[in-house]
Amino acid sequence: MIHLKIQFKTEFGQAVYISGNSKYLGQWNPKQAIRMNWTENDIWEVEIAYHKIEYKYFISQYESIQTVLWESGPNRVTTKHTIDVWNYRKVCFQCLNPSNCLIYISGSPETLGKFQKRIRMKNKDGISQYTCLLDVADPQIQYQYHFLTKSEFSSPVQKLDLESEQSYYKDALLVYSDNLAKVKQMIFQLNKNICYGYVPQSKEDYRILKNFNLKTIVEFCNTQEKSLLEHQLQRDDCQHMIVNLYHFKQENFTQRLLQLIQIFIQKYQLIYICNNSLSHLRKYLQVYEKLSK
């Protein structure tokens, strides 16, 4: 038998029910759901036959199911005794780590350190992972990875929408990253608004940028043949804009560069600036940092 528990304080005359994808849980039909048993401290519990289940809780009238109020978030899964928290989900962050280097994770929720501390991920069989509880009602969950090798590298900050996650690892929602090695070579972070790196060339490059919420791409070039600003709509909802610095007058080059970057940040909040010469690009960004202080 599997023993499931959840704490929830209902109104008088209400009860907590559990429904799921098996015949024991009514095949997602609320009318055939199981009413859980109330115990002290508003703990509701139930025992069901052992099997892998996909399930959710809802609130309805105690005597007969009429109005149904489902809990928020994606479905739950388990094969073992579980103590759940209403509107929270267990989330497993995993990233490919064949070199078994030290990887830490940080994020905006309290269980991810509120970006004030980093949590070391566990390494096993070339995978680093960390599991925690997250509030599905939080629309602003953000997180990032930190590599410690000979030098330190932090991935761009990513946003997490728990409602859209559909993959599972054991009894947790799975958030998996398999391209961090390429990200480490491709993306560098200047500050909270600017990431930079090489110009994306392939569909995979654009997919990586999109996964890290870098959908606004600003490419700097210096070519006489091109106009000042060219717009290109690229794959995977990424907007790729080419800015030709050749047309900037030399006497006010630095000021125009500062104004241009500030305009992009005000409009898009997070931008990816790129050029196939990182040495030139870093010089431009050093000028920007110096003037923007």
Side-chain angles (χ1 to χ4, degrees), residues 181-193:
K182 186 166 185 178
V183 169
K184 186 178 177 183
Q185 299 171 357
M186 177 180 175
I187 302 174
F188 304 88
Q189 189 159 21
L190 183 70
N191 54 42
K192 66 178 182 179
N193 300 111

Side-chain angles (χ1 to χ4, degrees), residues 28-40:
W28 294 115
N29 182 350
K31 295 292 185 181
Q32 298 179 21
I34 298 176
R35 186 179 67 200
M36 303 180 73
N37 301 311
W38 182 90
T39 62
E40 290 184 0

Side-chain angles (χ1 to χ4, degrees), residues 11 17 28 35 37 45 91-92 119 134 147 163 183 194 206 219 221 230 234 256-257 278 280 287 291:
E11 300 291 336
Y17 291 79
W28 294 115
R35 186 179 67 200
N37 301 311
E45 59 183 14
V91 179
C92 179
I119 302 167
L134 294 177
F147 294 77
E163 293 283 1
V183 169
I194 298 175
Y206 285 101
E219 178 185 347
C221 69
E230 295 186 2
Q234 294 288 348
R256 290 193 65 184
L257 180 65
L278 285 189
H280 283 90
V287 170
L291 292 176

Side-chain angles (χ1 to χ4, degrees), residues 193-284:
N193 300 111
I194 298 175
C195 292
Y196 69 95
Y198 292 107
V199 178
Q201 302 292 336
S202 65
K203 184 176 181 179
E204 174 67 10
D205 291 344
Y206 285 101
R207 186 181 72 84
I208 291 173
L209 291 172
K210 181 184 175 183
N211 287 345
F212 284 89
N213 202 35
L214 298 172
K215 299 180 183 180
T216 303
I217 302 165
V218 181
E219 178 185 347
F220 287 163
C221 69
N222 196 336
T223 306
Q224 184 175 0
E225 290 78 17
K226 291 187 177 181
S227 60
L228 174 62
L229 182 63
E230 295 186 2
H231 291 266
Q232 294 182 354
L233 293 179
Q234 294 288 348
R235 308 178 185 93
D236 293 329
D237 301 324
C238 290
Q239 185 178 18
H240 188 146
M241 292 171 282
I242 300 176
V243 177
N244 190 359
L245 302 182
Y246 177 85
H247 296 279
F248 282 21
K249 292 183 179 180
Q250 196 64 36
E251 59 269 18
N252 62 354
F253 175 87
T254 55
Q255 194 61 39
R256 290 193 65 184
L257 180 65
L258 173 64
Q259 292 173 350
L260 180 68
I261 294 177
Q262 288 176 336
I263 289 171
F264 280 129
I265 291 174
Q266 289 173 3
K267 186 173 182 179
Y268 301 107
Q269 284 77 55
L270 179 62
I271 60 175
Y272 176 74
I273 300 177
C274 56
N275 185 274
N276 281 328
S277 172
L278 285 189
S279 59
H280 283 90
L281 185 57
R282 287 187 173 118
K283 289 180 181 178
Y284 296 145

Side-chain angles (χ1 to χ4, degrees), residues 122-137:
K122 294 182 179 180
N123 291 344
K124 185 178 180 181
D125 299 328
I127 299 288
S128 293
Q129 72 176 42
Y130 174 70
T131 302
C132 63
L133 281 178
L134 294 177
D135 184 357
V136 297

